[in-house]
């Protein structure tokens, strides 16, 4: 079944009484070049397992199933079950769990369904209303996955893949860089989806190292520093950091200088190594 064909999608949905639900971010891919590219660049290969978030009618699921030994998908919309029974009937290596990914224990799911696989990747065309929470969940809960390759809104992709220490960098950029190495792979125009959204998209890949990228003694403190430094992105970090951490301005200014950071620095001037150094300095002073 050609799942990028508009009449095929409409037909299978209508026959099963399913309509598009905008609030679930249901914009399905209809550009035939995109899903194979996500699967290839997302590391799908023999011996590997893929986790998909949000199957829609199964257009990407199918490309993952062709390349990987096993596909485990999490889809919130149970109305899609009869549709997927039809569209993915010829693949016996796919299992779909109908659940909200944000309420799913991904580690437990992997232990239950993908034990025996050491090469596990996540590939998805994410519903945009939960892009950041899904990405942060996958990184923070540290499931045993090698990479996360996802379609997100173009502006989100640019923010997530910005250089830390640039004007485009935000708290989420620093957080993602703490756990992974992000890369913007390719852009996808709004016309590649049905219904067509009013924004363009891009596919990014977050490569997750086996060992953490940075040595941080107190992770909670690290993320408090990130959140408060970037709370006002164009302002100097000294004031917000001082009040968030309860450290006097003079003392904090000295600590910043000892870490090679100017006390007048703005968040866009901070590199990952600077944030890590400051975190270690503050932890050791406690
Ligand atoms: N993979 C399909 C494609 O590329 O055409 C569908 C992508 S569509 C952008 C997002 C999918 O995620 C929809 O099928 C939607 O029902 C599903 N979804 C939305 N919220 C979800 C959630 N919280 N957990 C799991 N799936 C969700």
């Amino acid at each position: 079944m050609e799942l990028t064909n508009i009449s095929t999608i409409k037909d299978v949905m209508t026959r099963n009484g399913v309509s598009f639900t905008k609030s679930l971010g249901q914009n399905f891919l209809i550009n035939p070049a995109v899903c194979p590219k996500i699967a290839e660049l997302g590391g799908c290969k023999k011996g590997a397992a893929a986790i998909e978030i949000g199957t829609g009618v199964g257009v990407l699921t199918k490309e993952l199933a062709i390349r990987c030994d096993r596909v485990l998908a999490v889809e919130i919309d149970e109305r899609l079950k009869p549709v997927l029974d039809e569209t993915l009937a010829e693949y016996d290596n796919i299992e779909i769990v109908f659940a909200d990914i944000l309420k799913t224990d991904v580690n437990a799911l992997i232990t239950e369904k993908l034990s025996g696989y050491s090469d596990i990747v996540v590939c998805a065309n994410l519903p945009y209303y939960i892009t950041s929470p899904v990405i942060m969940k996958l990184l923070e809960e540290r499931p045993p996955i090698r990479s996360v390759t996802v379609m997100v809104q173009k502006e989100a992709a640019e923010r997530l893949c910005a250089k830390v220490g640039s004007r485009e960098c935000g708290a989420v950029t620093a957080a993602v860089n703490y756990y992974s190495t992000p890369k913007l792979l390719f852009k996808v125009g709004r016309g590649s989806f049905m219904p067509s959204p009013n924004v363009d998209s891009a596919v990014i890949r977050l490569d997750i190292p086996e060992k953490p990228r940075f040595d941080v003694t107190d992770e909670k403190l690290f993320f408090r520093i990130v959140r408060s430094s970037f709370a006002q992105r164009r302002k100097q970090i000294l004031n917000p950091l001082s009040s968030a951490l309860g450290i006097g301005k003079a003392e904090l200014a000295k600590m910043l200088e000892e870490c090679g950071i100017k006390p007048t620095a703005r968040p866009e001037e901070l590199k990952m190594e600077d944030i890590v150094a400051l975190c270690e300095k503050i932890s050791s002073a406690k």
Side-chain angles (χ1 to χ4, degrees):
M1 203 182 273
E2 189 41 78
L3 296 178
T4 50
N5 183 297
I6 297 178
S7 358
T8 307
I9 302 172
K10 281 188 175 158
D11 174 57
V12 73
M13 287 182 67
T14 313
R15 264 189 295 105
N16 288 287
V18 187
S19 53
F20 291 97
T21 303
K22 209 175 161 193
S23 61
L24 290 177
Q26 291 184 341
N27 300 99
F28 297 162
L29 269 163
I30 50 164
N31 178 340
V34 176
C35 290
K37 220 164 148 184
I38 297 177
E40 295 285 337
L41 296 174
C44 290
K45 52 178 187 268
K46 286 280 157 261
I51 297 177
E52 185 188 15
I53 296 154
T55 58
V57 296
V59 66
L60 175 60
T61 327
K62 167 187 156 187
E63 299 298 333
L64 305 179
I66 291 170
R67 291 166 179 83
C68 282
D69 283 9
R70 192 152 176 73
V71 177
L72 177 61
V74 179
E75 166 58 58
I76 198 168
D77 190 352
E78 276 198 62
R79 298 172 313 155
L80 289 168
K81 188 174 183 311
V83 172
L84 292 159
D85 285 344
E86 213 178 296
T87 57
L88 300 175
E90 62 187 284
Y91 304 94
D92 60 6
N93 58 343
I94 300 173
E95 180 170 354
I96 302 171
V97 174
F98 288 92
D100 179 345
I101 187 63
L102 293 177
K103 295 186 184 143
T104 302
D105 182 338
V106 180
N107 272 299
L109 200 65
I110 290 177
T111 307
E112 188 192 336
K113 311 272 188 195
L114 297 178
S115 64
Y117 288 94
S118 56
D119 189 355
I120 304 175
V121 296
V122 172
C123 292
N125 171 16
L126 285 182
Y128 294 164
Y129 74 106
I130 47 168
T131 298
S132 291
V134 171
I135 290 178
M136 289 318 296
K137 178 183 169 70
L138 290 172
L139 295 175
E140 281 166 4
E141 292 179 6
R142 293 198 161 100
I145 53 176
R146 213 177 271 284
S147 58
V148 175
T149 305
V150 282
M151 173 98 68
V152 300
Q153 195 175 320
K154 186 169 122 282
E155 289 70 22
E158 286 164 351
R159 171 63 58 84
L160 289 162
C161 299
K163 197 166 165 271
V164 180
S166 72
R167 272 182 81 77
E168 294 70 35
C169 173
V172 72
T173 323
V176 161
N177 270 273
Y178 177 75
Y179 295 106
S180 69
T181 307
K183 188 171 181 206
L184 198 152
L185 298 178
F186 60 96
K187 297 192 178 159
V188 180
R190 60 195 76 186
S192 291
F193 301 86
M194 184 182 70
S196 173
N198 48 14
V199 291
D200 291 319
S201 300
V203 176
I204 62 170
R205 190 181 65 224
L206 312 175
D207 288 316
I208 303 169
E210 266 172 45
K211 282 197 2 216
R213 284 187 73 193
F214 300 96
D215 244 342
V216 165
T217 318
D218 183 347
E219 269 190 2
K220 272 199 179 146
L221 175 65
F222 177 85
F223 286 104
R224 261 169 67 209
I225 295 175
V226 168
R227 271 195 308 275
S228 40
S229 302
F230 286 90
Q232 292 171 295
R233 289 207 299 137
R234 304 287 169 242
K235 298 248 168 80
Q236 296 184 359
I237 58 173
L238 185 61
N239 279 339
L241 264 184
S242 165
S243 44
L245 303 174
I247 304 174
K249 276 196 225 164
E251 192 187 345
L252 186 60
K254 189 164 166 273
M255 287 175 155
L256 287 167
E257 271 178 338
E258 284 167 0
C259 296
I261 308 167
K262 283 184 295 181
T264 54
R266 293 167 204 277
E268 65 201 39
E269 294 167 60
L270 291 179
K271 297 193 190 62
M272 285 303 284
E273 290 72 15
D274 296 332
I275 309 171
V276 172
L278 181 62
C279 181
E280 293 311 289
K281 168 76 60 192
I282 297 172
S283 326
S284 64
K286 272 187 188 167

